[in-house]
Amino acid sequence: MLAERTPTLPYRAEVRAARRGDRSAFETLVRSVQRPVYGLCLRLLRVEAEASEVAQETFLRAYQNLHRYDDGKPFDLWVMAIARNLCLDLLRRRSRMLTDNVDDMHEVLPSGEVSQEDSVIAGEERRSLESALSTLSVDDREVLSLYYVQKRTTKEIAVVMGVAPGTIMARLFRAREKLRKRMTANSEEAA
Amino acid sequence: MDCPDFETLFAAQLEGTGEYAEHVAGCPDCAAILEEHRQLEKDLFRLADPLPPADLVARVMQRVAAEPLPVRAEMRVGLSILAATLMAAVLSFVATRGPIGLLGASAARAVVAWKTALWGLNNAVQVVWSTTAIPLTVSLTLLLFLSLVGLRRVAPPRAVEIEVHP
């Protein structure tokens, strides 16, 4: 399990510069956190175009509300919380709920570029894991993706999700147990 | 064999209490499920976030360029607060129905009281200065010097800022 890290506050200088009107500083911030933000959006929404649109909207909202951001707290978590809320709003508005073809996800999560990294597991194994993961509920996908994919601590996840840190390990266990059952069922079907 | 609830089993494993270690060692079902969870965790940790579209930053910055600067937004908030305060002040003057009103009278009384106190303080300083100017200057300079030396000793060495980007 991940050890709880001492909170560090990167991006502080960029946030201050952006507040003073330095747009290039804001661009640096966007570049730094675009991957986890887009990753979370895609895990929750499961549609690339929507994830991209929501990620853009997230950064725009962050820019518009920079004066409200408390720079004693991590900037990336603040942006992730905005992204999460926008995703949940969109999911609530969606008329079609969880009826997407999960095969779409095989091609988009994760992208080919990362497969060259040492940490990425073999394609077939990854696809079956992604496939099972995408059939879970939004809450389960979110907690698993923040903890395992983004390597966030339970405290950080609690900040993004707006829940008590003490509940995260139990949520993780339940989500993982559901995933295990899906994986077992899928492999039995395949056999 | 009575197997414990898996959530309890995992919590015990996480806390390292070893409460169910004996049970797991003797129960192939529990041992197998625990192993499946461990393997699943390993695989999950190896997943990575997808790369965002190449034009995401450009699109964001295009939309940001159309927005007013954040400084101006802060100024707008400040001006709104100022306007609201002025409005509240005008309303309170009007509500008291007098030419200046109760609020104005109390403000004027406070100014007069402060003026008297400041005059008194000024007189006292002048008296002290006219009698003990040189010893006072020497003592204050010495006090300032000692304080600066003390502060320099107490202050920690300048910290090196390290920015950690995930």
Side-chain angles (χ1 to χ4, degrees):
Chain A
M1 294 292 160
L2 288 181
E4 295 296 338
R5 281 176 274 157
T6 313
T8 52
L9 291 175
Y11 318 123
R12 185 175 269 185
E14 288 88 347
V15 169
R16 285 184 179 166
R19 274 179 173 162
R20 287 194 301 267
D22 181 352
R23 287 197 170 118
S24 69
F26 187 74
E27 187 175 338
T28 308
L29 288 169
V30 176
R31 282 188 196 285
S32 305
V33 297
Q34 59 167 333
R35 190 166 179 181
V37 167
Y38 175 75
L40 180 67
C41 292
L42 190 52
R43 296 255 171 223
L44 297 187
L45 300 171
R46 306 189 302 167
V47 178
E48 277 185 311
E50 283 182 349
S52 174
E53 185 57 39
V54 171
Q56 287 176 44
E57 186 62 28
T58 298
F59 288 118
L60 191 67
R61 298 273 179 101
Y63 185 76
Q64 289 165 340
N65 293 286
L66 265 182
H67 59 286
R68 289 189 190 158
Y69 162 63
D70 171 7
D71 60 7
K73 292 177 181 165
F75 176 76
D76 53 341
L77 297 187
W78 180 65
V79 180
M80 298 278 286
I82 297 174
R84 174 187 191 263
N85 289 337
L86 288 174
C87 287
L88 295 184
D89 284 349
L90 182 60
L91 286 170
R92 273 192 284 267
R93 284 203 307 271
R94 260 190 199 171
S95 53
R96 55 192 172 89
M97 290 292 288
L98 303 173
T99 52
D100 312 273
N101 184 354
V102 293
D103 288 345
D104 294 347
M105 298 300 295
H106 298 168
E107 303 309 318
V108 297
L109 280 172
S111 62
E113 289 88 339
V114 283
S115 63
Q116 292 169 356
E117 292 173 12
D118 293 342
S119 61
V120 178
I121 53 176
E124 194 53 45
E125 224 175 304
R126 172 179 59 75
R127 269 193 288 276
S128 68
L129 184 57
E130 290 284 9
S131 172
L133 192 57
S134 65
T135 61
L136 298 181
S137 70
V138 175
D139 285 348
D140 292 338
R141 291 203 303 271
E142 181 179 27
V143 76
L144 289 173
S145 125
L146 288 172
Y147 190 77
Y148 293 108
V149 183
Q150 300 202 359
K151 322 288 187 277
R152 302 278 177 185
T153 64
T154 52
K155 277 182 190 167
E156 289 172 335
I157 297 171
V159 170
V160 174
M161 294 178 71
V163 295
T167 64
I168 300 297
M169 286 316 288
R171 282 169 187 254
L172 266 172
F173 170 76
R174 285 173 209 146
R176 204 174 59 232
E177 177 60 7
K178 282 181 205 162
L179 183 63
R180 186 188 69 83
K181 284 180 177 162
R182 295 279 160 89
M183 295 283 285
T184 310
N186 289 352
S187 59
E188 279 170 3
E189 271 174 30
Chain B
M1 193 181 288
D2 283 340
C3 295
D5 171 55
F6 272 112
E7 202 169 329
T8 318
L9 188 70
F10 264 93
Q13 292 253 320
L14 254 177
E15 288 157 12
T17 55
E19 199 179 339
Y20 297 104
E22 205 175 309
H23 172 82
V24 172
C27 175
D29 290 344
C30 283
I33 291 176
L34 268 180
E35 186 48 38
E36 277 180 34
H37 269 270
R38 278 197 202 104
Q39 190 55 47
L40 193 54
E41 283 208 292
K42 254 196 229 174
D43 292 345
L44 280 166
F45 270 127
R46 286 180 190 143
L47 291 178
D49 268 330
L51 288 179
D55 61 350
L56 181 70
V57 177
R59 281 169 180 262
V60 169
M61 294 316 294
Q62 210 173 358
R63 291 174 73 174
V64 162
E67 289 291 315
L69 289 172
V71 176
R72 287 182 194 159
E74 280 180 0
M75 203 177 267
R76 272 204 306 275
V77 173
L79 285 174
S80 314
I81 292 170
L82 187 66
T85 314
L86 277 174
M87 185 76 83
V90 168
L91 283 175
S92 69
F93 275 116
V94 170
T96 50
R97 291 181 190 170
I100 298 176
L102 290 175
L103 199 65
S106 12
R109 269 199 298 275
V111 169
V112 170
W114 271 103
K115 197 179 167 189
T116 315
L118 284 174
W119 270 112
L121 189 66
N122 182 36
N123 288 338
V125 169
Q126 274 179 357
V127 169
V128 170
W129 186 254
S130 59
T131 51
T132 58
I134 295 173
L136 197 67
T137 310
V138 172
S139 328
L140 285 175
T141 313
L142 196 65
L143 186 68
L144 182 68
F145 177 74
L146 287 175
S147 306
L148 285 174
V149 170
L151 272 176
R152 194 175 164 75
R153 277 171 173 260
V154 170
R158 203 172 155 191
V160 179
E161 272 190 28
I162 300 170
E163 295 220 334
V164 182
H165 292 269

